[in-house]
Amino acid sequence: MERTGTILRGRALEPVEGRIVVDDEGRIAAIEEESVESDDIILPAFVNAHTHIGDSIAKEAGGGLSLEELVAPPDGLKHRLLRAADRDDLVSAMARSLQFMERAGTAACLDFREGDVAGVRMLEDAADGLEIDALSFARGSVDAMRAGDGFGASGANDTEFGDERQATREAGKPFGIHAGEVDASDIDPALDLEPDFLVHMVHPEPAHLERVADQEVPIVVCPRSNLVTDVGLSPYSDLAERTTLALGTDNVFLNSPSMFREMEFLAKLSELPADEILRMATVHGAEIADLEYGLLEPDREAQLLVLDGDSDNLAGARDPVRAVVRRAGVDDVREVVYGDGERAD
């Protein structure tokens, strides 16, 4: 299988005119530079590094509520709605969000999965038959982590997560935790757990920034969510100088799980360059979850997003990376090509 167009190659996302060849095992066999007639833009499919898609049952609920009123366990609005919902309704709503992400070019999402082992099974059912890798960063128990793909902790002020952290080490699975979303009080105890990644980090102080750099802990930022919940915005440039940043869309009841929207929003409110934001939306999230894709390079697993570079929206773009980050949307998606040869049109 091959696709032609402008290929955003490697970690530098260098625009190369030519063809990308995928072998029968679903890996990139070659990227060949040559003149082609196609206007398509070919890039790695996205990795959404932080979602809560169980909230799909209540999109745009809770307008005007504080972050604590919305999501704080055990009685924030989302938790009450999740407890009251029928299992089939939850699975159906999550499946529709996954289908949207798949059509919009997302190859994987790292979902902080409520509901213990049962919640992990619900996400598995929701993803059944889809190409997207829906990874469960389970919550509620060590058994849930073992059933899923890792552990996703709510925050170090909620409880002590030492046992769960040790269990993830023994299982060889990643441990992520919310930190610094409302204030700085939970950042040090979160870092004390030596997590594999942090989520949000809106309120780090200078000492926290140095700890992040020393521990080399990646951070997933969720700018649209932070704006909606009125907690502020992360110091993106300060964080990017010290560690690897990835990008997530957070709660589906607050924001659509669109990486296009998240990238555009971040690009227009921060000083981060477009190529760095696109890496945040692709390879950086893939590396947190130890996925084999996220870059277009030979021998990588092929998860390709093909955009119509001659769409009314993208025609005439002089810089394909900036166009992808600041302008492109789901209407520009021509196809998503997965390593197993399946396609989402």
Side-chain angles (χ1 to χ4, degrees), residues 195-327:
D196 294 294
F197 65 99
L198 300 172
V199 181
H200 292 303
M201 286 293 277
V202 176
H203 299 286
E205 297 170 356
H208 301 133
L209 294 174
E210 296 316 306
R211 285 196 70 184
V212 164
D214 289 343
Q215 293 182 216
E216 299 181 334
V217 56
I219 296 169
V220 181
V221 296
C222 307
R224 286 187 300 154
S225 172
N226 296 153
L227 183 69
V228 170
T229 58
D230 198 30
V231 298
L233 296 171
S234 303
Y236 304 109
S237 296
D238 289 342
L239 292 171
E241 288 174 1
R242 292 166 171 83
T243 191
T244 299
L245 299 186
L247 196 60
T249 60
D250 205 10
N251 300 71
V252 173
F253 81 152
L254 300 177
N255 299 294
S256 72
S258 167
M259 294 297 279
F260 288 116
R261 289 191 178 187
E262 205 71 39
M263 288 192 302
E264 180 184 7
F265 188 81
L266 181 58
K268 293 180 178 179
L269 63 79
S270 77
E271 297 180 355
L272 294 177
D275 60 340
E276 180 64 14
I277 292 173
L278 188 50
R279 282 188 288 272
M280 290 168 64
T282 54
V283 65
H284 290 175
E287 288 173 343
I288 286 174
D290 197 26
L291 300 171
E292 291 190 68
Y293 43 86
L295 285 181
L296 302 187
E297 289 180 337
D299 297 325
R300 286 268 184 166
E301 185 178 336
Q303 305 280 15
L304 313 179
L305 173 54
V306 182
L307 303 182
D308 180 3
D310 193 39
S311 69
D312 291 339
N313 184 40
L314 296 179
R318 301 296 181 90
D319 184 326
V321 175
R322 280 176 60 89
V324 168
V325 169
R326 301 173 67 93
R327 177 176 297 273

Side-chain angles (χ1 to χ4, degrees), residues 58-127:
K59 296 166 187 169
E60 304 307 320
L65 298 181
S66 69
L67 178 63
E68 183 174 0
E69 291 170 326
L70 284 168
V71 302
D75 292 319
L77 176 63
K78 69 168 283 180
H79 297 284
R80 300 198 309 271
L81 292 172
L82 289 172
R83 285 196 297 269
D86 176 80
R87 185 186 191 280
D88 289 344
D89 291 341
L90 283 169
V91 170
S92 176
M94 287 192 288
R96 297 193 70 169
S97 288
L98 292 171
Q99 289 163 9
F100 170 82
M101 283 192 274
E102 194 174 81
R103 290 196 307 274
T106 296
C109 65
L110 282 56
D111 195 63
F112 272 36
R113 187 84 291 277
E114 291 89 357
D116 213 287
V117 175
V120 174
R121 301 303 178 215
M122 283 192 284
L123 184 60
E124 291 173 350
D125 289 348

Side-chain angles (χ1 to χ4, degrees), residues 34-48:
E34 60 182 82
S35 179
V36 297
E37 295 182 1
S38 172
D39 294 309
D40 288 349
I41 301 171
I42 305 170
L43 61 144
F46 301 128
V47 176
N48 190 335

